[in-house]
Amino acid sequence: MKVKTLPIAIAMTTAMSASLLAVSSIDNHAQAQEEEFRWKMVTSWPKNFPGVGQGPERLAELVDEMSDGRLTIEVFGAGQLVPGFEVFDAVSDGTAELGHSASYYWKGKAPAAQFFAAVPFGMNAQEMNAWLHFGGGMELWNELYDEFGVDVLVAGASGVQMGGWYNKEINSVDDLDGLKMRMPGLGGEVMNRMGVAIVNMPGGEIFTSLQSGAIDATEWIGPYNDLAFGLHQAADYYYYPGWHEPTVMFEAIVNEEAMAELPADLQAILKTAVRDVNANVLDEYTARNNDALETLVNEHDVELRRIPDDVLAQAREHSADVVAELAESSEMATRIYESYQAFQEKVEDYHAISEQAYYNARNPEGDSAE
């Protein structure tokens, strides 16, 4: 009787091939685990600036610790490697692998990007985070940036900002006419329609411009950062509320090719660290702003003023026009706006009986700053 050896040989060959593939897979995985990456991160903020400038530093520290040094990130402040307003280009062209900024600075390249930074009378930080992470916002944001070769992650929020610093009292809309003011994004366009000449500049140039009279007014972020910049030394009047920026959502933009070169575990580490920073930046502003405001008012004699009702009413009217015009500017802008608006309407319905109702119950006397 003949022994049929061929199937046995095939089985042995198959088993050996599988073993070799398994060993090869293990070797490749081990090699990926040993590979190290050195990234540069450019930002639009002064190096180590409180709050927004500390976010990138925390990100770098977390990634280094979580990856056991396999991915390290060197952080550059505005102007150290590239100017603050060139962060997007630097990441897009590969000069740096990572950037930290705010998307309304790129309105000349992608006007619809402004929806992801701040919308006047729009959603606050809590609502924006919900839209971005659970309402399709991040998918739209990444789609918008696809043509530039960058990925985007939300990496911090300012919370509701202040209305700005002025070197004269604002008692009515007429007092705005002819003022030169630093205010970016959609809020700046609204102010322009109210007679204000808008001047764009990075944060590091604000103080000297306000002090020298190159501008008459400015908004920055809020008391914590404004005190650090010493803006109270250049203007006496500090206005609220920050209708123009109910929050600014900060972005971490990543060069797509650099991201693709990272092993899957390092990609996960980077995304997890950014998510931590996103929460941490907002937490720090919430914790620090009131102490800084008390210092400004009680120690530096800053005049805290509420924006007059007629100014707010006109700002609200112009904001509706500005946002609608942006929404109609392209098919992509329309899709983003429709998603944004639908989510805002939905979350407002619930917040009317939750957040807003609670605030009213907690403070039935109204505006406690008056």
Side-chain angles (χ1 to χ4, degrees):
M1 184 177 65
K2 294 183 179 180
V3 178
K4 296 181 180 180
T5 58
L6 186 57
I8 296 175
I10 292 174
M12 292 178 63
T13 301
T14 301
M16 290 176 63
S17 297
S19 297
L20 290 171
L21 286 172
V23 171
S24 175
S25 177
I26 292 170
D27 288 343
N28 290 338
H29 181 70
Q31 183 178 359
Q33 291 289 325
E34 294 174 0
E35 192 172 4
E36 295 182 352
F37 298 85
R38 301 288 177 263
W39 278 18
K40 296 184 290 294
M41 183 177 190
V42 290
T43 79
S44 295
W45 331 114
K47 177 75 171 174
N48 287 314
F49 193 67
V52 65
Q54 282 293 323
E57 305 292 340
R58 180 178 176 85
L59 176 60
E61 291 170 5
L62 285 172
V63 168
D64 181 50
E65 182 178 355
M66 294 166 69
S67 71
D68 195 24
R70 290 168 51 220
L71 174 58
T72 58
I73 300 170
E74 184 178 3
V75 180
F76 295 88
Q80 290 187 313
L81 187 62
V82 299
F85 284 171
E86 295 182 17
V87 166
F88 192 89
D89 287 341
V91 177
S92 179
D93 66 23
T95 299
E97 292 82 5
L98 190 59
H100 193 267
S101 191
S103 62
Y104 53 21
Y105 293 148
W106 330 128
K107 66 178 184 179
K109 299 178 182 297
Q114 296 173 95
F115 282 120
F116 300 104
V119 175
F121 299 99
M123 289 190 282
N124 64 17
Q126 181 179 345
E127 294 162 342
M128 281 292 291
N129 270 311
W131 174 58
L132 291 170
H133 291 126
F134 294 97
M138 287 308 311
E139 291 80 2
L140 289 166
W141 201 351
N142 273 287
E143 183 180 346
L144 179 67
Y145 282 2
D146 272 348
E147 66 177 291
F148 303 101
V150 300
D151 296 325
V152 61
L153 301 164
V154 60
S158 67
V160 179
Q161 297 199 5
M162 292 292 286
W165 293 88
Y166 291 77
N167 57 20
K168 72 170 189 175
E169 290 185 76
I170 304 300
N171 296 310
S172 71
V173 173
D174 292 340
D175 293 324
L176 296 174
D177 191 47
L179 287 183
K180 298 186 297 295
M181 185 175 190
R182 183 266 182 195
M183 181 181 283
L186 297 171
E189 176 59 30
V190 171
M191 290 293 277
N192 181 254
R193 297 188 185 194
M194 296 168 69
V196 177
I198 294 300
V199 180
N200 289 316
M201 64 182 66
E205 299 176 13
I206 292 176
F207 176 80
T208 54
S209 297
L210 188 60
Q211 188 180 50
S212 69
I215 56 176
D216 305 305
T218 186
E219 66 81 49
W220 178 222
I221 297 177
Y224 182 42
N225 282 156
D226 295 359
L227 177 63
F229 261 168
L231 297 181
H232 58 281
Q233 300 175 51
D236 293 327
Y237 300 102
Y238 199 23
Y239 280 87
Y240 73 95
W243 57 268
H244 63 298
E245 292 180 358
T247 189
V248 168
M249 305 305 293
F250 304 116
E251 62 179 4
I253 47 177
V254 192
N255 181 274
E256 281 185 357
E257 292 182 1
M259 186 70 146
E261 290 173 0
L262 290 181
D265 65 323
L266 290 185
Q267 291 188 25
I269 284 172
L270 178 63
K271 291 175 182 178
T272 300
V274 171
R275 190 67 181 258
D276 174 278
V277 168
N278 184 48
N280 189 265
V281 170
L282 179 60
D283 290 348
E284 184 176 5
Y285 282 124
T286 303
R288 309 292 186 205
N289 271 329
N290 193 65
D291 289 343
L293 182 60
E294 289 184 350
T295 298
L296 288 167
V297 172
N298 298 329
E299 297 182 22
H300 298 294
D301 298 321
V302 166
E303 294 276 352
L304 182 63
R305 302 289 179 87
R306 187 179 185 278
I307 296 173
D309 288 340
D310 71 319
V311 174
L312 289 174
Q314 193 167 125
R316 191 178 298 108
E317 181 180 334
H318 286 299
S319 293
D321 293 337
V322 167
V323 171
E325 289 168 17
L326 175 59
E328 295 170 359
S329 65
S330 70
E331 183 270 340
M332 188 68 196
T334 299
R335 289 172 53 210
I336 294 170
Y337 172 72
E338 288 177 349
S339 174
Y340 182 104
Q341 186 66 17
F343 196 89
Q344 181 174 342
E345 290 175 359
K346 178 172 65 175
V347 79
E348 278 182 352
D349 287 344
Y350 179 66
H351 279 176
I353 63 168
S354 59
E355 307 293 326
Q356 185 172 333
Y358 170 69
Y359 287 151
N360 293 341
R362 186 172 67 181
N363 181 27
E365 301 303 319
D367 192 346
S368 60
E370 288 293 339

